[in-house]
Amino acid sequence: MKLIKAATPAEAGKLAADIFEEIIRKNPACVLGLATGSTPLPLYRELIEREKAGKINFAQVRSANLDEYKGLSGDHPQSYRYFMQENLFNHISIDPANTIVPDGLAEDAEAMCADYEKKIADMGGVDIQLLGIGHDGHIGFNEPCDHFPAVTHEVELEEITREANKRFFASLDEVPTAAYTMGVGTVMAARKVLLIATGKDKAEIVKKSFFGPVKPEVPASILQFHPDVTVIVDEAAASLLD
Ligand code: PGA
């Protein structure tokens, strides 16, 4: 594991963008595994700026997102498809047809999840998987449980996660109770993993995940076993590390 300390979330975004830039330059048709949430926003802003400045080009890049709320359509303002359009895709040259996000409105959840895995495999797998981390150690929507889920699947959301995400909804009642997420196995199959954690509220889970025992009760801890994982933390998120 490579641990990189940044002074601020903005610097973490820049350092993450350097890693993305190198991968896109090497392979202009690479497959990016993307994430939503507050953490990736400085990175996405940086990527938009770098394409505007002619440093990178997204025209051939493909992407697969980690997760989506069950029951929300892609044009619902709180859906993760909408988030990606607003915060990245609408501002870069990526072809929307080359971006996939699990379908929140799928009638047959199991078939959609199986198809999502197939789509990722057909793309040739993920070159770099971007991750944030939940306060409970979740990656994507893989919540603490008694095993590491292998593939894309439906999950019931933990109250701590619904509480954390209610800031985006009118009330807690409107936060969906279920979601679709890549499995921990899907994430581990990415050729490279880049996890960003910023803010004091992530300090404890960063310590537990990367310096504690590997166990499914702390889903992110399995990343200790990934052969190419980079963790970028800002000063606040690194504050409990020695
Ligand atoms: P955040 O979410 O970036 O909004 O903190 C991270 C996550 O829940 O994975």
Side-chain angles (χ1 to χ4, degrees), residues 46-67:
E46 190 66 27
L47 292 176
I48 293 165
E49 288 309 312
R50 290 189 192 195
E51 185 171 62
K52 280 200 185 120
K55 291 185 186 153
I56 37 175
N57 185 288
F58 284 93
Q60 296 178 62
V61 168
R62 296 161 298 151
S63 74
N65 258 78
L66 273 176
D67 47 14

mmCIF file of all heavy atoms in Angstrom, residues 46-67:
data_model
loop_
_atom_site.group_PDB
_atom_site.id
_atom_site.type_symbol
_atom_site.label_atom_id
_atom_site.label_comp_id
_atom_site.label_asym_id
_atom_site.label_seq_id
_atom_site.Cartn_x
_atom_site.Cartn_y
_atom_site.Cartn_z
ATOM 1 N N GLU A 46 -10.486 19.182 -10.830
ATOM 2 C CA GLU A 46 -9.127 19.219 -11.365
ATOM 3 C C GLU A 46 -9.080 18.556 -12.753
ATOM 4 O O GLU A 46 -8.430 19.064 -13.679
ATOM 5 C CB GLU A 46 -8.212 18.501 -10.370
ATOM 6 C CG GLU A 46 -6.743 18.623 -10.618
ATOM 7 C CD GLU A 46 -6.179 20.028 -10.452
ATOM 8 O OE1 GLU A 46 -6.742 20.841 -9.688
ATOM 9 O OE2 GLU A 46 -5.170 20.296 -11.118
ATOM 10 N N LEU A 47 -9.770 17.426 -12.893
ATOM 11 C CA LEU A 47 -9.770 16.730 -14.195
ATOM 12 C C LEU A 47 -10.419 17.596 -15.269
ATOM 13 O O LEU A 47 -9.951 17.649 -16.413
ATOM 14 C CB LEU A 47 -10.490 15.380 -14.075
ATOM 15 C CG LEU A 47 -9.786 14.310 -13.222
ATOM 16 C CD1 LEU A 47 -10.653 13.053 -13.102
ATOM 17 C CD2 LEU A 47 -8.406 13.954 -13.788
ATOM 18 N N ILE A 48 -11.504 18.268 -14.900
ATOM 19 C CA ILE A 48 -12.190 19.161 -15.851
ATOM 20 C C ILE A 48 -11.223 20.263 -16.305
ATOM 21 O O ILE A 48 -11.078 20.535 -17.497
ATOM 22 C CB ILE A 48 -13.461 19.771 -15.202
ATOM 23 C CG1 ILE A 48 -14.511 18.679 -14.950
ATOM 24 C CG2 ILE A 48 -14.041 20.890 -16.070
ATOM 25 C CD1 ILE A 48 -15.637 19.087 -14.001
ATOM 26 N N GLU A 49 -10.525 20.858 -15.340
ATOM 27 C CA GLU A 49 -9.565 21.926 -15.650
ATOM 28 C C GLU A 49 -8.438 21.416 -16.549
ATOM 29 O O GLU A 49 -8.011 22.086 -17.475
ATOM 30 C CB GLU A 49 -8.943 22.498 -14.368
ATOM 31 C CG GLU A 49 -9.897 23.346 -13.553
ATOM 32 C CD GLU A 49 -10.579 24.417 -14.392
ATOM 33 O OE1 GLU A 49 -9.873 25.121 -15.135
ATOM 34 O OE2 GLU A 49 -11.825 24.527 -14.336
ATOM 35 N N ARG A 50 -7.971 20.211 -16.244
ATOM 36 C CA ARG A 50 -6.838 19.679 -17.022
ATOM 37 C C ARG A 50 -7.235 19.363 -18.459
ATOM 38 O O ARG A 50 -6.425 19.496 -19.369
ATOM 39 C CB ARG A 50 -6.248 18.444 -16.332
ATOM 40 C CG ARG A 50 -5.527 18.832 -15.058
ATOM 41 C CD ARG A 50 -4.753 17.694 -14.441
ATOM 42 N NE ARG A 50 -4.333 18.089 -13.097
ATOM 43 C CZ ARG A 50 -3.419 17.470 -12.372
ATOM 44 N NH1 ARG A 50 -2.808 16.411 -12.850
ATOM 45 N NH2 ARG A 50 -3.118 17.885 -11.156
ATOM 46 N N GLU A 51 -8.497 18.941 -18.663
ATOM 47 C CA GLU A 51 -8.884 18.723 -20.062
ATOM 48 C C GLU A 51 -8.997 20.078 -20.774
ATOM 49 O O GLU A 51 -8.558 20.221 -21.914
ATOM 50 C CB GLU A 51 -10.187 17.926 -20.213
ATOM 51 C CG GLU A 51 -10.433 17.659 -21.712
ATOM 52 C CD GLU A 51 -11.552 16.704 -22.025
ATOM 53 O OE1 GLU A 51 -12.698 17.013 -21.676
ATOM 54 O OE2 GLU A 51 -11.269 15.652 -22.657
ATOM 55 N N LYS A 52 -9.572 21.053 -20.069
ATOM 56 C CA LYS A 52 -9.674 22.415 -20.664
ATOM 57 C C LYS A 52 -8.292 22.946 -21.031
ATOM 58 O O LYS A 52 -8.123 23.637 -22.031
ATOM 59 C CB LYS A 52 -10.333 23.379 -19.667
ATOM 60 C CG LYS A 52 -11.835 23.251 -19.631
ATOM 61 C CD LYS A 52 -12.486 24.514 -19.043
ATOM 62 C CE LYS A 52 -13.982 24.299 -18.908
ATOM 63 N NZ LYS A 52 -14.420 24.416 -17.504
ATOM 64 N N ALA A 53 -7.295 22.619 -20.204
ATOM 65 C CA ALA A 53 -5.935 23.109 -20.440
ATOM 66 C C ALA A 53 -5.194 22.260 -21.468
ATOM 67 O O ALA A 53 -4.021 22.516 -21.768
ATOM 68 C CB ALA A 53 -5.164 23.126 -19.123
ATOM 69 N N GLY A 54 -5.863 21.225 -21.997
ATOM 70 C CA GLY A 54 -5.247 20.394 -23.041
ATOM 71 C C GLY A 54 -4.273 19.358 -22.519
ATOM 72 O O GLY A 54 -3.517 18.763 -23.287
ATOM 73 N N LYS A 55 -4.286 19.119 -21.194
ATOM 74 C CA LYS A 55 -3.336 18.152 -20.635
ATOM 75 C C LYS A 55 -3.821 16.715 -20.764
ATOM 76 O O LYS A 55 -3.020 15.779 -20.789
ATOM 77 C CB LYS A 55 -3.096 18.468 -19.155
ATOM 78 C CG LYS A 55 -2.344 19.754 -18.934
ATOM 79 C CD LYS A 55 -2.054 19.931 -17.457
ATOM 80 C CE LYS A 55 -1.421 21.273 -17.185
ATOM 81 N NZ LYS A 55 -1.693 21.745 -15.839
ATOM 82 N N ILE A 56 -5.126 16.532 -20.746
ATOM 83 C CA ILE A 56 -5.682 15.182 -20.914
ATOM 84 C C ILE A 56 -6.878 15.251 -21.846
ATOM 85 O O ILE A 56 -7.443 16.332 -22.060
ATOM 86 C CB ILE A 56 -6.143 14.524 -19.571
ATOM 87 C CG1 ILE A 56 -6.768 15.542 -18.628
ATOM 88 C CG2 ILE A 56 -5.049 13.737 -18.921
ATOM 89 C CD1 ILE A 56 -7.328 14.921 -17.360
ATOM 90 N N ASN A 57 -7.275 14.086 -22.348
ATOM 91 C CA ASN A 57 -8.422 14.048 -23.240
ATOM 92 C C ASN A 57 -9.272 12.827 -22.904
ATOM 93 O O ASN A 57 -8.766 11.717 -22.798
ATOM 94 C CB ASN A 57 -7.917 13.982 -24.693
ATOM 95 C CG ASN A 57 -9.060 14.076 -25.658
ATOM 96 O OD1 ASN A 57 -9.835 13.140 -25.803
ATOM 97 N ND2 ASN A 57 -9.187 15.213 -26.317
ATOM 98 N N PHE A 58 -10.565 13.083 -22.720
ATOM 99 C CA PHE A 58 -11.468 12.013 -22.288
ATOM 100 C C PHE A 58 -12.273 11.390 -23.438
ATOM 101 O O PHE A 58 -13.136 10.558 -23.201
ATOM 102 C CB PHE A 58 -12.453 12.552 -21.245
ATOM 103 C CG PHE A 58 -11.848 12.744 -19.882
ATOM 104 C CD1 PHE A 58 -11.310 13.966 -19.508
ATOM 105 C CD2 PHE A 58 -11.815 11.698 -18.972
ATOM 106 C CE1 PHE A 58 -10.759 14.154 -18.244
ATOM 107 C CE2 PHE A 58 -11.260 11.862 -17.716
ATOM 108 C CZ PHE A 58 -10.738 13.092 -17.343
ATOM 109 N N ALA A 59 -11.966 11.810 -24.685
ATOM 110 C CA ALA A 59 -12.817 11.402 -25.807
ATOM 111 C C ALA A 59 -12.966 9.891 -25.942
ATOM 112 O O ALA A 59 -14.028 9.395 -26.319
ATOM 113 C CB ALA A 59 -12.285 12.008 -27.098
ATOM 114 N N GLN A 60 -11.907 9.165 -25.609
ATOM 115 C CA GLN A 60 -12.000 7.697 -25.747
ATOM 116 C C GLN A 60 -12.115 6.961 -24.414
ATOM 117 O O GLN A 60 -12.213 5.739 -24.374
ATOM 118 C CB GLN A 60 -10.746 7.178 -26.450
ATOM 119 C CG GLN A 60 -10.555 7.651 -27.876
ATOM 120 C CD GLN A 60 -9.251 7.075 -28.402
ATOM 121 O OE1 GLN A 60 -9.071 5.854 -28.500
ATOM 122 N NE2 GLN A 60 -8.313 7.942 -28.715
ATOM 123 N N VAL A 61 -12.062 7.716 -23.331
ATOM 124 C CA VAL A 61 -12.086 7.092 -21.996
ATOM 125 C C VAL A 61 -13.444 6.449 -21.737
ATOM 126 O O VAL A 61 -14.471 6.933 -22.201
ATOM 127 C CB VAL A 61 -11.771 8.160 -20.915
ATOM 128 C CG1 VAL A 61 -12.061 7.639 -19.516
ATOM 129 C CG2 VAL A 61 -10.313 8.616 -21.032
ATOM 130 N N ARG A 62 -13.404 5.339 -21.017
ATOM 131 C CA ARG A 62 -14.652 4.676 -20.610
ATOM 132 C C ARG A 62 -14.732 4.653 -19.084
ATOM 133 O O ARG A 62 -13.698 4.774 -18.423
ATOM 134 C CB ARG A 62 -14.681 3.264 -21.191
ATOM 135 C CG ARG A 62 -14.702 3.309 -22.734
ATOM 136 C CD ARG A 62 -14.287 2.021 -23.380
ATOM 137 N NE ARG A 62 -12.944 1.644 -23.061
ATOM 138 C CZ ARG A 62 -12.516 0.362 -23.023
ATOM 139 N NH1 ARG A 62 -13.343 -0.616 -23.293
ATOM 140 N NH2 ARG A 62 -11.266 0.085 -22.730
ATOM 141 N N SER A 63 -15.933 4.511 -18.553
ATOM 142 C CA SER A 63 -16.026 4.520 -17.084
ATOM 143 C C SER A 63 -17.134 3.612 -16.585
ATOM 144 O O SER A 63 -18.118 3.358 -17.280
ATOM 145 C CB SER A 63 -16.265 5.946 -16.572
ATOM 146 O OG SER A 63 -17.593 6.332 -16.838
ATOM 147 N N ALA A 64 -16.935 3.134 -15.374
ATOM 148 C CA ALA A 64 -17.939 2.313 -14.685
ATOM 149 C C ALA A 64 -18.057 2.848 -13.268
ATOM 150 O O ALA A 64 -17.055 2.965 -12.562
ATOM 151 C CB ALA A 64 -17.488 0.846 -14.650
ATOM 152 N N ASN A 65 -19.264 3.218 -12.866
ATOM 153 C CA ASN A 65 -19.432 3.735 -11.503
ATOM 154 C C ASN A 65 -19.672 2.620 -10.508
ATOM 155 O O ASN A 65 -20.183 1.554 -10.835
ATOM 156 C CB ASN A 65 -20.571 4.745 -11.465
ATOM 157 C CG ASN A 65 -20.057 6.160 -11.437
ATOM 158 O OD1 ASN A 65 -19.660 6.682 -12.484
ATOM 159 N ND2 ASN A 65 -20.005 6.760 -10.256
ATOM 160 N N LEU A 66 -19.317 2.929 -9.274
ATOM 161 C CA LEU A 66 -19.414 1.956 -8.196
ATOM 162 C C LEU A 66 -20.833 1.545 -7.836
ATOM 163 O O LEU A 66 -21.089 0.375 -7.548
ATOM 164 C CB LEU A 66 -18.872 2.599 -6.903
ATOM 165 C CG LEU A 66 -17.424 2.548 -6.563
ATOM 166 C CD1 LEU A 66 -17.219 3.357 -5.281
ATOM 167 C CD2 LEU A 66 -16.980 1.106 -6.348
ATOM 168 N N ASP A 67 -21.749 2.514 -7.804
ATOM 169 C CA ASP A 67 -23.028 2.207 -7.177
ATOM 170 C C ASP A 67 -24.139 3.166 -7.606
ATOM 171 O O ASP A 67 -23.889 4.166 -8.281
ATOM 172 C CB ASP A 67 -22.882 2.200 -5.645
ATOM 173 C CG ASP A 67 -22.117 3.416 -5.112
ATOM 174 O OD1 ASP A 67 -21.930 4.392 -5.870
ATOM 175 O OD2 ASP A 67 -21.710 3.382 -3.941
#
